[in-house]
Amino acid sequence: MLLKIISTGHPVLRQHARELILEEIRSSWIQDLIAHMRDTMHDAPGVGLAAPQIGEPLQLAVIEDKAEYHKNLTEAELHERERRPVPFHVIINPRIELLSEPDRAFHEGCLSLPGFMAIVLRARKVRVTCLDERGARKTIEASGWYARILQHEIDHLNGRLYIDRMKSESFSTLENYQRHGKAS
Ligand code: ZN
C-alpha cells in the first residue's frame, strides 16, 4: 500500500518524533506501517523514508539503497561518494554518534522537498544504536553514503530537514542540478 508523502511546511515534519515501545514495535499496526513505508519508499523511489514523512511522528525509518539506483552515476561518482548498495532495514529509536567531522560536501535531496537538491555537509562515519523491526537492539557502523542516509533520516526524527544544514547558495532544482550542479 502506498502512503502519501508529506511535503515541507507541514508541522509533523518539525516535531520531535516519539519513541516506540516493544509492544508497539511488535504490533500489527507498526508491522503494517513498516510494510507500507517500504512500498512507498520503493515507489518514490527513495533510499530512505522516515515516519514523520508519512504523517506519523514516531522514531522509525526505513532505508534501502539499491544497486539499480546507481546506474546514473559514474564509477568515479560512486567512488567519491563511497556509495554502495545497502539492503532493506528498519531503524527504531535511533541514537547517532558522528565519528568524524561533518566535512563531506555532496548534493542531497528529500522526498518531502520534491524536485530540489542542495549541498549538505555530513560526517563520513557514524555509529547508530537502535532497535530493528523485531525490537532487537543493534549497532550500525556506517561510512560514506550510507552514513549520509542515516544522518538525513535521523534528522527527520528530530524535526530537522536538510535545508536547515544546507549551503544555501547551492540550493537548486533537480533539473538545474543535472544540467549545471553536479561538478560543484
Ligand atoms: Zn528526507
Side-chain angles (χ1 to χ4, degrees), residues 48 53 109-113 152-153 156 161-162:
Q53 294 182 276
C110 178
L111 297 175
S112 294
L113 287 121
H152 180 113
E153 297 312 321
H156 274 302
L161 299 172
Y162 80 77

Side-chain angles (χ1 to χ4, degrees), residues 7 11 15 33 36 40 56 61 65 68 76 119 133 157 168 180-181:
S7 295
Q15 261 177 271
L33 187 67
H36 300 331
T40 304
E56 296 282 359
D65 193 2
E68 66 186 76
I119 292 175
E133 71 282 2
L157 305 183
S168 53
H180 310 288

